[in-house]
Amino acid sequence: ALRNGKLANLSFQIQGHADPRGDADHNMDLSRERAESVVSYLVKEHGIDRARLQPVGKGSTELLNKAQPDAPENRRVTIVTQPN
């Protein structure tokens, strides 16, 4: 989908997330690394222009499963579409 010509005028924020285990600084670093890993994969394996991808670490600030903070779904990457 990211290579689809209909999306050529869009950029994407690649957001890394972490669960709250560990301290806040470590979780922020981990989430940034997670986002950067996905950006690298999309560029190398799928030929997506890196200029269209912005890696962002969110740390543990946006849990999907607040009832179970250490749930796997809290450790994820989300892709958010942004207009150029």
Side-chain angles (χ1 to χ4, degrees):
L2 298 180
R3 292 189 314 195
N4 186 313
K6 293 180 182 180
L7 301 179
N9 63 333
L10 299 174
S11 294
F12 303 93
Q13 189 176 78
I14 311 301
Q15 299 176 345
H17 299 268
D19 65 32
R21 293 180 292 177
D23 67 40
D25 289 338
H26 174 73
N27 289 336
M28 189 60 71
D29 290 342
L30 179 62
S31 65
R32 280 190 207 116
E33 290 170 11
R34 187 170 280 145
E36 185 58 49
S37 177
V38 171
V39 167
S40 294
Y41 170 79
L42 291 171
V43 170
K44 289 179 184 178
E45 300 297 326
H46 295 282
I48 307 299
D49 180 4
R50 187 175 186 84
R52 295 176 60 209
L53 305 173
Q54 177 190 15
V56 175
K58 295 285 197 166
S60 60
T61 61
E62 297 177 12
L63 300 178
L64 279 181
N65 186 344
K66 293 177 183 173
Q68 186 179 357
D70 63 345
E73 59 266 31
N74 291 327
R75 299 180 299 276
R76 69 191 187 283
V77 171
T78 55
I79 299 176
V80 178
T81 305
Q82 300 181 313
N84 285 336

